[in-house]
Amino acid sequence: EKYEAWMIDRGLTLTTVGIYVRALQTMWGDAAHDQEIPKSLRPFGKRDYQIKKSRKRKMALTDEQLESFRSVEVKTYKEPDAPDFWLFSFHCQGINPADIFRLKWADVDGRNIVFRRHKSRNTKRSPAPVTVEMNNAAAAIFEKHCNRQTAYVFEVIDARMSEREKRKEIKNATRRINKHLKKLSKRAGIAFNVTMNHARHTFATTMKRKGVSAEMIAEMMGNSTESVKHYLADFPPELLAEQTRKLDRPGEGQRASD
């Protein structure tokens, strides 16, 4: 806790503090596993020090922003790729770039896509496959950008690359898309820089606002019910106020104002 306070006093955020402390936690765990230090001295745990998480505001596009984003004017031949892949993610249950660019033709059957999230590959339990049925919008984007002559659906990585090379190419492709999305965000009048990550947040929040249960959203996204909360944007104050007003009995507001 003193180390945490020392870093915060020097202007570091809780996110940055967490990065440094997690490295110490890993080193301490490895040393305890190798019996270089007794486990009883481990300072991490529920009753000891716990790494704090910063609560960032989760951003999702509203219906109005989404419509503006869909209709924004593109000015260069490369820019259409950015909103296309963003909208493909949004329409395909928030699939993230790592999974989009790793899709193989073996994962596709007509309009159905069945894949296992790359992020979950090293978990102890075998991750359940995520099933997506492409709607018309997603299918149109898919046909526009797919290459049926390659093992991977989209031409970002290929089978000859090492895993390290694949990660690098996917990272570079995502960075290029986000660069164009930043320009398109301003052109669409959106107050923040839209990134590929916002497609996943927007999908989850849109589904929640339409009354879909957290359990169903979690299954659609390949997440646990608890972790899907990470993707739900904060609801605007006016929407929360609207829900509170539903508690009024008929005519109660009119009597109070008379």
Side-chain angles (χ1 to χ4, degrees):
E1 291 179 350
K2 289 181 180 179
Y3 181 46
E4 175 191 291
W6 180 83
M7 287 190 282
I8 291 176
D9 286 344
R10 280 152 184 78
L12 276 67
T13 65
L14 280 177
T15 300
T16 304
V17 170
I19 292 171
Y20 287 118
V21 178
R22 282 187 187 90
L24 287 176
Q25 185 180 38
T26 300
M27 293 169 60
W28 199 284
D30 290 344
H33 180 269
D34 295 338
Q35 297 183 342
E36 294 177 359
I37 57 173
K39 291 184 178 180
S40 59
L41 294 179
R42 186 174 184 269
F44 301 96
K46 291 184 178 180
R47 296 183 179 180
D48 298 298
Y49 177 79
Q50 295 185 44
I51 300 173
K52 297 181 178 64
K53 296 181 180 179
S54 62
R55 190 181 186 278
K56 294 183 178 179
R57 185 184 177 191
K58 308 175 187 83
M59 304 297 289
L61 273 65
T62 63
D63 290 343
E64 292 77 13
Q65 289 172 329
L66 185 57
E67 188 57 37
S68 297
F69 188 74
R70 281 175 167 147
S71 58
V72 68
E73 180 188 2
V74 293
K75 295 185 177 180
T76 69
Y77 76 96
K78 287 185 178 181
E79 276 189 352
D81 291 359
D84 279 355
F85 281 115
W86 193 96
L87 289 168
F88 184 77
S89 172
F90 171 74
H91 285 289
C92 290
Q93 300 169 196
I95 180 174
N96 63 37
D99 294 322
I100 291 175
F101 298 131
R102 289 177 184 274
L103 286 176
K104 295 183 176 181
W105 285 106
D107 303 324
V108 182
D109 182 12
R111 283 203 172 192
N112 293 323
I113 300 173
V114 181
F115 68 97
R116 295 181 188 275
R117 295 188 66 203
H118 183 71
K119 186 178 180 179
S120 304
R121 68 195 183 282
N122 293 326
T123 55
K124 292 181 180 180
R125 295 182 180 180
S126 177
V130 178
T131 301
V132 176
E133 182 178 335
M134 288 185 282
N135 58 19
N136 291 337
I141 296 170
F142 182 90
E143 290 298 330
K144 179 180 176 181
H145 293 282
C146 72
N147 186 339
R148 299 184 184 277
Q149 306 303 315
T150 58
Y152 289 95
V153 172
F154 303 110
E155 291 183 276
V156 172
I157 59 176
D158 63 56
R160 295 169 297 179
M161 292 179 179
S162 66
E163 179 56 32
R164 184 177 181 181
E165 289 172 328
K166 290 175 183 177
R167 287 198 303 269
K168 181 180 178 181
E169 289 303 315
I170 290 172
K171 185 177 181 179
N172 288 339
T174 305
R175 186 183 294 117
R176 287 193 297 270
I177 290 171
N178 284 339
K179 182 179 178 181
H180 289 300
L181 288 175
K182 180 179 179 180
K183 297 176 183 177
L184 294 170
S185 304
K186 293 181 180 178
R187 216 173 294 157
I190 299 173
F192 56 91
N193 293 329
V194 176
T195 67
M196 284 296 294
N197 194 41
H198 290 118
R200 193 165 175 83
H201 287 273
T202 302
F203 168 77
T205 303
T206 301
M207 289 293 101
K208 186 65 176 176
R209 287 173 179 166
K210 290 183 180 296
V212 180
S213 69
E215 291 79 8
M216 185 174 290
I217 296 172
E219 185 168 339
M220 295 171 79
M221 298 177 71
N223 280 93
S224 66
T225 303
E226 182 62 29
S227 63
V228 81
K229 294 177 183 177
H230 168 74
Y231 296 100
L232 295 175
D234 297 331
F235 292 105
E238 59 271 19
L239 182 59
L240 298 178
E242 180 184 338
Q243 304 311 308
T244 304
R245 286 194 294 271
K246 291 179 180 178
L247 299 175
D248 283 335
R249 289 177 292 179
E252 191 167 21
Q254 286 83 347
R255 288 198 303 272
S257 60
D258 289 343

